[in-house]
Structures are given as structure tokens and as C-alpha cells.
Amino acid sequence: MTEKDVSTTTIGAKVWKDGEFIDWNDARVHIMSHVIHYGSSVFEGIRCYKNQNGSAVFRLREHMQRLINSAKIYRMDVDYSLDEFCDSVVNLIRECDLDECYIRPIIFRGLNEDKPAFGVNPFPNPLSTYIAVWKWGKYLGEEALENGIDVCVSSWERFNSNALPAMAKAGANYMNSQLIKMEAILGGYSEGIALDDRGYVSEGSGENLFLVNNGKLITPPLGASILPGITRDSVIQIAKELEIEVVETVVQRSALYLADELFFTGTAAEITPIRSVDKITVGSGKRGPITERLQEEFFKIVNAERPAPSNAPWLTYVSEVAEKKSA
Ligand code: PMP
């Protein structure tokens, strides 16, 4: 990157802070906030897509429920109900007038400036809740969805769930993700796959992982120190509807090299094919037919070209196109 490079990211003009809209530039914290020193935050990552009917958030309720669950694990008493959280996201996107965006709700332990506390004990530190939005393109590159990416198995292990609960999407977990990601980038790969403390395959730094073998989908179980990914769940439901067998089971490292197809799932990564692991070509070295089929169905649902499996309400509309509104 040169000094002349400038960010082309479009950010939301407003940020939602505990029930109010504030300017993006005013969304600041004191450097002695508990979260800065001890990683005490829980957060979400959600996408709002523009489709033929308007702009819709993908699986908003499931994401906000996971935020509430993450907060519960960390004994954070949340002041908002699931409905209030969902309404706040929709209102913020409207306020910022974005037709497509990435949504980042976050709850963290701050600083009581009248009665500061600097120790590890989080209880004296007040909670703050923010939601920010910005436009985010393809996380692993524009080409990745079609051509696939090159990944490595990380020398860093995924943490054991009795050390840091993987069920919670907590800020501190992403120190582990950063080690995995940095090692991958410096090694010339797009992403790293972590093994768990038993040596079985866990997940990417910010993605769940699926293998395709003899027409079946195989994915590590929730017990393998993985985040219960909402895209993972979407893919499982779509696969079942297509009568593709899904097996949630432990996966050995070497099975990655021998898979017919391999792909990541995640809100940011969507469904990204993997074409090599540790420089060993996976399958044909390009996106496989089952990965492509699942991508197709996934994007049809996101684009409102077909309903979700069992007609589940996966899309929450922020705005609708004029003619649909009056119809
Ligand atoms: N694992 C990790 C560690 C992640 O950060 C993410 C992204 N949230 C995922 C898996 C995928 O989860 P989701 O599909 O809900 O975005």
C-alpha cells in the first residue's frame, strides 16, 4: 500500500448508541475503557442486501439472538429485547440511507468516569451498546466466490471452549483469529484453517468450513470449538432441502487435502470455495458443482428470487421498492 491509497469505504453517517443516533465521528471511547485492555466485548456481523424488492437484512433475528446469547455467557445484562435490537438495526440503516451494508452491533464494558476501575473484574465497568454500518464488498476478494482461494492449515490452534467459549462471538476470541490470519497472509495465503486442541479441523479465522465427499456435505460439529455460524446453518438447511446428505462430524487434517470440494461459509465470506490447502490442490482446483449449486440457491434466497427453506423469514426488509409497496 502506498501513502496515496485512500479508503473507498462508505460508512454510515450515523451510529446507533444506546437508543440514540449519533454522528459517526462521535462514536468514541476513553482509552481506559475495560474493553480496550481486556477484550470485554461481544458483537455481531450481519449483511443487508439489495434485491429486486428492496433492501433486506439476512437472518437479522438469528444474529441478534446470538448477540444476546454471547452477552449472557459473559454476564452482561442487556437492556434491549430481541425486537428492540432488530428494530434499531432497521432504523439505523434507514437513517443512513444505505441500500446495502454490513452491520456491526457491539456490546462492551466501558469506563465509569466518575468512579473509574482498572482491574480485570468487569463488574464495575458500565456496558455500552452500539451499532455501526458501512458498505463492505467481497471479504476474500471479488474473484474468490468463483475461482476459490488458497488457504493453509494454521500452526495456531483454535482455543478450547472451556477456556474461551466459542459459542460466544466475543472480541477476545479474535486475538486467536488474528494470529491465524496474519500467519496465513504472511505465508501468501488468503486464509488459515485452525485445528482444535484435539487436532481435529475447527474453522477459519472468521468462517466455518465444509467438505464435499462423494456427494455428501461434511462439517465439524458445534463441539469442535466453532462459532455456530448462521451461514453454516443456512447452508445445512439448503442442502437438506436439495436432498444432499449433511454429516456433522470430526474431520482430520488430511481429509482437507482429499476432499472433492471444500468451502468456507460466513456472513463476510458468504460461500467461498477453497481451491488448495497447504499448496495441495483440492479436487479439480476450482469451484466444484455442489459448492456452485449451494451458492446459487443461497444467492437466490438473498436476492428474493426464491423463498428460504420451509418459507422461513430469512429476510427483514428495510425498504421496499415503490411499486411493491403499493401492490
Ligand atoms: N467462525 C468465526 C470465527 C467467525 O468469526 C464467523 C463470522 N461471524 C463465522 C464462523 C461464520 O459465522 P456467520 O455465518 O454467522 O457469519
Side-chain angles (χ1 to χ4, degrees):
M1 205 186 287
T2 69
E3 280 172 12
K4 282 195 181 135
D5 281 343
V6 287
S7 169
T8 51
T9 306
T10 305
I11 51 171
K14 298 283 178 185
V15 167
W16 184 94
K17 177 187 182 240
D18 287 306
E20 283 171 36
F21 295 122
I22 60 169
D23 286 343
W24 174 279
N25 285 335
D26 293 335
R28 295 174 190 277
V29 295
H30 196 284
I31 63 121
M32 290 312 292
S33 296
H34 194 268
V35 60
I36 290 188
H37 301 263
Y38 305 118
S40 38
S41 69
V42 294
F43 68 98
E44 268 307 315
I46 314 169
R47 271 192 197 265
C48 173
Y49 290 93
K50 186 176 170 195
N51 66 40
Q52 53 180 347
N53 301 333
S55 294
V57 183
F58 186 66
R59 304 198 70 179
L60 176 59
R61 287 188 81 76
E62 291 87 340
H63 278 283
M64 297 319 280
Q65 184 60 56
R66 189 171 67 187
L67 180 71
I68 291 170
N69 294 352
S70 299
K72 185 171 186 184
I73 291 170
Y74 281 99
R75 301 177 194 274
M76 293 172 166
D77 292 327
V78 179
D79 289 335
Y80 310 99
S81 67
L82 179 56
D83 283 334
E84 283 169 334
F85 267 135
C86 294
D87 289 348
S88 305
V89 167
V90 168
N91 291 338
L92 176 66
I93 299 170
R94 284 187 187 142
E95 181 76 17
C96 295
D97 204 17
L98 294 174
D99 51 5
E100 276 197 297
C101 61
Y102 187 86
I103 305 151
R104 170 56 52 79
I106 183 162
I107 306 172
F108 61 86
R109 308 245 189 212
L111 175 73
N112 180 345
E113 294 195 24
D114 296 329
K115 213 174 164 202
F118 306 120
V120 169
N121 174 14
F123 291 126
N125 302 93
L127 287 174
S128 286
T129 307
Y130 286 76
I131 308 169
V133 290
W134 69 92
K135 283 205 168 190
W136 219 9
K138 299 300 174 199
Y139 183 65
L140 294 166
E142 285 293 333
E143 304 259 282
L145 290 182
E146 203 175 320
N147 298 335
I149 56 168
D150 301 307
V151 309
C152 61
V153 172
S154 184
S155 69
W156 294 101
E157 250 172 32
R158 196 75 182 142
F159 42 79
N160 170 323
S161 273
N162 285 324
L164 280 172
M167 289 237 160
K169 190 168 168 66
N173 296 1
Y174 288 83
M175 291 300 273
N176 177 249
S177 290
Q178 288 175 54
L179 291 170
I180 296 164
K181 188 78 180 180
M182 288 189 290
E183 184 183 60
I185 289 170
L186 293 175
Y189 303 95
S190 300
E191 186 53 285
I193 295 172
L195 307 179
D196 66 18
D197 59 327
R198 300 165 304 169
Y200 292 120
V201 171
S202 172
E203 60 183 343
S205 73
E207 306 87 8
N208 294 117
L209 184 70
F210 284 84
L211 294 79
V212 179
N213 262 344
N214 299 320
K216 281 188 208 161
L217 271 190
I218 299 159
T219 195
L222 296 181
S225 285
I226 61 167
L227 183 77
I230 288 158
T231 322
R232 174 186 183 274
D233 177 72
S234 307
V235 164
I236 290 174
Q237 290 196 44
I238 294 168
K240 287 186 175 161
E241 190 199 59
L242 296 174
E243 295 185 349
I244 297 170
E245 194 182 333
V246 182
V247 186
E248 294 179 62
T249 186
V250 291
V251 174
Q252 288 186 29
R253 173 180 186 160
S254 51
L256 299 174
Y257 308 135
L258 302 180
D260 297 332
E261 301 176 34
L262 205 58
F263 61 87
F264 277 136
T265 62
T267 297
E270 297 165 317
I271 298 176
T272 299
I274 297 170
R275 64 182 175 202
S276 75
V277 180
D278 296 334
K279 300 202 161 77
I280 298 178
T281 302
V282 175
S284 61
K286 53 185 203 311
R287 176 175 62 187
I290 292 188
T291 309
E292 190 172 353
R293 186 72 214 282
L294 291 165
Q295 271 184 340
E296 242 173 57
E297 296 303 318
F298 177 80
F299 285 113
K300 272 189 194 160
I301 296 170
V302 157
N303 291 324
E305 288 162 14
R306 54 148 286 186
S310 315
N311 273 318
W314 283 6
L315 299 180
T316 302
Y317 279 89
V318 170
S319 64
E320 294 183 53
V321 293
E323 59 272 32
K324 296 272 172 187
K325 233 184 213 164
S326 55

mmCIF file of all heavy atoms in Angstrom, residues 182-208:
data_model
loop_
_atom_site.group_PDB
_atom_site.id
_atom_site.type_symbol
_atom_site.label_atom_id
_atom_site.label_comp_id
_atom_site.label_asym_id
_atom_site.label_seq_id
_atom_site.Cartn_x
_atom_site.Cartn_y
_atom_site.Cartn_z
ATOM 1 N N MET A 182 -2.868 -13.535 10.293
ATOM 2 C CA MET A 182 -1.558 -12.940 9.977
ATOM 3 C C MET A 182 -0.609 -13.991 9.424
ATOM 4 O O MET A 182 0.105 -13.748 8.440
ATOM 5 C CB MET A 182 -0.950 -12.290 11.223
ATOM 6 C CG MET A 182 -1.648 -11.003 11.633
ATOM 7 S SD MET A 182 -0.759 -10.112 12.934
ATOM 8 C CE MET A 182 -0.994 -11.182 14.349
ATOM 9 N N GLU A 183 -0.590 -15.164 10.068
ATOM 10 C CA GLU A 183 0.291 -16.231 9.591
ATOM 11 C C GLU A 183 -0.050 -16.596 8.143
ATOM 12 O O GLU A 183 0.845 -16.776 7.307
ATOM 13 C CB GLU A 183 0.158 -17.456 10.493
ATOM 14 C CG GLU A 183 1.102 -18.584 10.123
ATOM 15 C CD GLU A 183 0.888 -19.814 10.982
ATOM 16 O OE1 GLU A 183 -0.221 -20.380 10.984
ATOM 17 O OE2 GLU A 183 1.843 -20.215 11.675
ATOM 18 N N ALA A 184 -1.358 -16.682 7.862
ATOM 19 C CA ALA A 184 -1.796 -17.042 6.506
ATOM 20 C C ALA A 184 -1.343 -15.986 5.499
ATOM 21 O O ALA A 184 -0.740 -16.308 4.468
ATOM 22 C CB ALA A 184 -3.312 -17.205 6.477
ATOM 23 N N ILE A 185 -1.603 -14.726 5.809
ATOM 24 C CA ILE A 185 -1.262 -13.648 4.867
ATOM 25 C C ILE A 185 0.245 -13.603 4.613
ATOM 26 O O ILE A 185 0.700 -13.531 3.470
ATOM 27 C CB ILE A 185 -1.776 -12.291 5.398
ATOM 28 C CG1 ILE A 185 -3.313 -12.255 5.313
ATOM 29 C CG2 ILE A 185 -1.179 -11.116 4.623
ATOM 30 C CD1 ILE A 185 -3.938 -11.080 6.023
ATOM 31 N N LEU A 186 1.019 -13.699 5.690
ATOM 32 C CA LEU A 186 2.478 -13.620 5.522
ATOM 33 C C LEU A 186 3.015 -14.838 4.771
ATOM 34 O O LEU A 186 4.069 -14.781 4.145
ATOM 35 C CB LEU A 186 3.165 -13.452 6.880
ATOM 36 C CG LEU A 186 2.868 -12.098 7.551
ATOM 37 C CD1 LEU A 186 3.467 -12.024 8.946
ATOM 38 C CD2 LEU A 186 3.381 -10.936 6.702
ATOM 39 N N GLY A 187 2.282 -15.930 4.813
ATOM 40 C CA GLY A 187 2.683 -17.130 4.074
ATOM 41 C C GLY A 187 2.186 -17.116 2.625
ATOM 42 O O GLY A 187 2.401 -18.080 1.893
ATOM 43 N N GLY A 188 1.474 -16.057 2.247
ATOM 44 C CA GLY A 188 0.993 -15.954 0.857
ATOM 45 C C GLY A 188 -0.367 -16.588 0.633
ATOM 46 O O GLY A 188 -0.769 -16.827 -0.504
ATOM 47 N N TYR A 189 -1.100 -16.894 1.705
ATOM 48 C CA TYR A 189 -2.439 -17.497 1.585
ATOM 49 C C TYR A 189 -3.510 -16.446 1.901
ATOM 50 O O TYR A 189 -3.228 -15.449 2.552
ATOM 51 C CB TYR A 189 -2.590 -18.662 2.579
ATOM 52 C CG TYR A 189 -1.551 -19.741 2.413
ATOM 53 C CD1 TYR A 189 -0.384 -19.745 3.188
ATOM 54 C CD2 TYR A 189 -1.722 -20.754 1.471
ATOM 55 C CE1 TYR A 189 0.581 -20.735 3.032
ATOM 56 C CE2 TYR A 189 -0.765 -21.745 1.306
ATOM 57 C CZ TYR A 189 0.379 -21.728 2.084
ATOM 58 O OH TYR A 189 1.321 -22.701 1.924
ATOM 59 N N SER A 190 -4.749 -16.732 1.483
ATOM 60 C CA SER A 190 -5.843 -15.801 1.774
ATOM 61 C C SER A 190 -6.395 -16.010 3.183
ATOM 62 O O SER A 190 -6.925 -15.091 3.791
ATOM 63 C CB SER A 190 -7.003 -16.004 0.803
ATOM 64 O OG SER A 190 -6.597 -15.782 -0.500
ATOM 65 N N GLU A 191 -6.315 -17.225 3.672
ATOM 66 C CA GLU A 191 -6.951 -17.531 4.952
ATOM 67 C C GLU A 191 -6.288 -18.768 5.561
ATOM 68 O O GLU A 191 -5.624 -19.548 4.845
ATOM 69 C CB GLU A 191 -8.460 -17.769 4.712
ATOM 70 C CG GLU A 191 -9.335 -17.954 5.934
ATOM 71 C CD GLU A 191 -9.207 -16.832 6.962
ATOM 72 O OE1 GLU A 191 -8.177 -16.803 7.675
ATOM 73 O OE2 GLU A 191 -10.146 -16.021 7.066
ATOM 74 N N GLY A 192 -6.462 -18.929 6.871
ATOM 75 C CA GLY A 192 -5.918 -20.092 7.569
ATOM 76 C C GLY A 192 -7.046 -20.912 8.183
ATOM 77 O O GLY A 192 -8.100 -20.359 8.539
ATOM 78 N N ILE A 193 -6.814 -22.215 8.294
ATOM 79 C CA ILE A 193 -7.770 -23.112 8.959
ATOM 80 C C ILE A 193 -7.123 -23.573 10.252
ATOM 81 O O ILE A 193 -5.984 -24.058 10.242
ATOM 82 C CB ILE A 193 -8.089 -24.345 8.076
ATOM 83 C CG1 ILE A 193 -8.803 -23.918 6.791
ATOM 84 C CG2 ILE A 193 -8.918 -25.379 8.849
ATOM 85 C CD1 ILE A 193 -8.982 -25.049 5.773
ATOM 86 N N ALA A 194 -7.852 -23.421 11.353
ATOM 87 C CA ALA A 194 -7.292 -23.846 12.647
ATOM 88 C C ALA A 194 -7.763 -25.258 12.972
ATOM 89 O O ALA A 194 -8.891 -25.638 12.662
ATOM 90 C CB ALA A 194 -7.752 -22.886 13.732
ATOM 91 N N LEU A 195 -6.886 -26.018 13.603
ATOM 92 C CA LEU A 195 -7.273 -27.304 14.182
ATOM 93 C C LEU A 195 -7.662 -27.030 15.629
ATOM 94 O O LEU A 195 -7.229 -26.023 16.214
ATOM 95 C CB LEU A 195 -6.112 -28.295 14.118
ATOM 96 C CG LEU A 195 -5.485 -28.489 12.719
ATOM 97 C CD1 LEU A 195 -4.325 -29.489 12.784
ATOM 98 C CD2 LEU A 195 -6.529 -28.972 11.705
ATOM 99 N N ASP A 196 -8.458 -27.917 16.227
ATOM 100 C CA ASP A 196 -8.819 -27.688 17.628
ATOM 101 C C ASP A 196 -7.774 -28.326 18.552
ATOM 102 O O ASP A 196 -6.771 -28.863 18.079
ATOM 103 C CB ASP A 196 -10.255 -28.145 17.913
ATOM 104 C CG ASP A 196 -10.441 -29.650 17.790
ATOM 105 O OD1 ASP A 196 -9.431 -30.396 17.826
ATOM 106 O OD2 ASP A 196 -11.602 -30.094 17.660
ATOM 107 N N ASP A 197 -8.007 -28.266 19.853
ATOM 108 C CA ASP A 197 -6.990 -28.738 20.794
ATOM 109 C C ASP A 197 -6.808 -30.257 20.740
ATOM 110 O O ASP A 197 -5.842 -30.779 21.288
ATOM 111 C CB ASP A 197 -7.317 -28.262 22.222
ATOM 112 C CG ASP A 197 -8.662 -28.758 22.696
ATOM 113 O OD1 ASP A 197 -9.587 -28.904 21.863
ATOM 114 O OD2 ASP A 197 -8.807 -29.015 23.906
ATOM 115 N N ARG A 198 -7.708 -30.960 20.034
ATOM 116 C CA ARG A 198 -7.526 -32.413 19.860
ATOM 117 C C ARG A 198 -6.887 -32.735 18.510
ATOM 118 O O ARG A 198 -6.652 -33.885 18.188
ATOM 119 C CB ARG A 198 -8.884 -33.117 19.943
ATOM 120 C CG ARG A 198 -9.598 -32.913 21.272
ATOM 121 C CD ARG A 198 -11.056 -33.314 21.183
ATOM 122 N NE ARG A 198 -11.735 -32.583 20.099
ATOM 123 C CZ ARG A 198 -12.951 -32.869 19.638
ATOM 124 N NH1 ARG A 198 -13.626 -33.871 20.160
ATOM 125 N NH2 ARG A 198 -13.495 -32.168 18.665
ATOM 126 N N GLY A 199 -6.680 -31.696 17.708
ATOM 127 C CA GLY A 199 -6.049 -31.910 16.404
ATOM 128 C C GLY A 199 -7.038 -32.064 15.270
ATOM 129 O O GLY A 199 -6.648 -32.267 14.120
ATOM 130 N N TYR A 200 -8.338 -31.995 15.575
ATOM 131 C CA TYR A 200 -9.342 -32.074 14.512
ATOM 132 C C TYR A 200 -9.571 -30.690 13.896
ATOM 133 O O TYR A 200 -9.331 -29.656 14.542
ATOM 134 C CB TYR A 200 -10.675 -32.602 15.060
ATOM 135 C CG TYR A 200 -10.609 -34.051 15.496
ATOM 136 C CD1 TYR A 200 -10.887 -34.409 16.820
ATOM 137 C CD2 TYR A 200 -10.271 -35.054 14.594
ATOM 138 C CE1 TYR A 200 -10.820 -35.735 17.227
ATOM 139 C CE2 TYR A 200 -10.200 -36.377 14.992
ATOM 140 C CZ TYR A 200 -10.480 -36.710 16.311
ATOM 141 O OH TYR A 200 -10.411 -38.019 16.710
ATOM 142 N N VAL A 201 -10.098 -30.687 12.677
ATOM 143 C CA VAL A 201 -10.352 -29.435 11.969
ATOM 144 C C VAL A 201 -11.423 -28.636 12.705
ATOM 145 O O VAL A 201 -12.455 -29.186 13.112
ATOM 146 C CB VAL A 201 -10.802 -29.732 10.515
ATOM 147 C CG1 VAL A 201 -11.281 -28.461 9.833
ATOM 148 C CG2 VAL A 201 -9.661 -30.384 9.733
ATOM 149 N N SER A 202 -11.168 -27.345 12.885
ATOM 150 C CA SER A 202 -12.136 -26.480 13.573
ATOM 151 C C SER A 202 -12.783 -25.524 12.561
ATOM 152 O O SER A 202 -13.831 -25.831 12.006
ATOM 153 C CB SER A 202 -11.425 -25.740 14.706
ATOM 154 O OG SER A 202 -12.249 -24.774 15.274
ATOM 155 N N GLU A 203 -12.148 -24.394 12.271
ATOM 156 C CA GLU A 203 -12.740 -23.417 11.346
ATOM 157 C C GLU A 203 -11.680 -22.428 10.876
ATOM 158 O O GLU A 203 -10.536 -22.484 11.327
ATOM 159 C CB GLU A 203 -13.905 -22.679 12.028
ATOM 160 C CG GLU A 203 -13.508 -21.916 13.262
ATOM 161 C CD GLU A 203 -14.677 -21.232 13.976
ATOM 162 O OE1 GLU A 203 -15.749 -21.067 13.380
ATOM 163 O OE2 GLU A 203 -14.481 -20.866 15.146
ATOM 164 N N GLY A 204 -12.063 -21.516 10.000
ATOM 165 C CA GLY A 204 -11.171 -20.454 9.554
ATOM 166 C C GLY A 204 -11.158 -19.325 10.581
ATOM 167 O O GLY A 204 -11.868 -19.385 11.590
ATOM 168 N N SER A 205 -10.376 -18.283 10.329
ATOM 169 C CA SER A 205 -10.280 -17.196 11.315
ATOM 170 C C SER A 205 -11.611 -16.465 11.467
ATOM 171 O O SER A 205 -11.891 -15.889 12.513
ATOM 172 C CB SER A 205 -9.176 -16.213 10.923
ATOM 173 O OG SER A 205 -9.573 -15.432 9.819
ATOM 174 N N GLY A 206 -12.452 -16.528 10.423
ATOM 175 C CA GLY A 206 -13.759 -15.867 10.502
ATOM 176 C C GLY A 206 -14.795 -16.594 9.656
ATOM 177 O O GLY A 206 -15.723 -15.974 9.146
ATOM 178 N N GLU A 207 -14.621 -17.921 9.514
ATOM 179 C CA GLU A 207 -15.528 -18.693 8.656
ATOM 180 C C GLU A 207 -15.659 -20.115 9.179
ATOM 181 O O GLU A 207 -14.709 -20.668 9.722
ATOM 182 C CB GLU A 207 -14.977 -18.811 7.210
ATOM 183 C CG GLU A 207 -14.632 -17.518 6.517
ATOM 184 C CD GLU A 207 -13.200 -17.056 6.808
ATOM 185 O OE1 GLU A 207 -12.417 -17.818 7.436
ATOM 186 O OE2 GLU A 207 -12.861 -15.932 6.432
ATOM 187 N N ASN A 208 -16.827 -20.709 8.958
ATOM 188 C CA ASN A 208 -16.977 -22.160 9.155
ATOM 189 C C ASN A 208 -16.551 -22.864 7.864
ATOM 190 O O ASN A 208 -16.383 -22.226 6.831
ATOM 191 C CB ASN A 208 -18.429 -22.513 9.493
ATOM 192 C CG ASN A 208 -18.859 -21.955 10.835
ATOM 193 O OD1 ASN A 208 -19.765 -21.120 10.909
ATOM 194 N ND2 ASN A 208 -18.221 -22.393 11.896
#
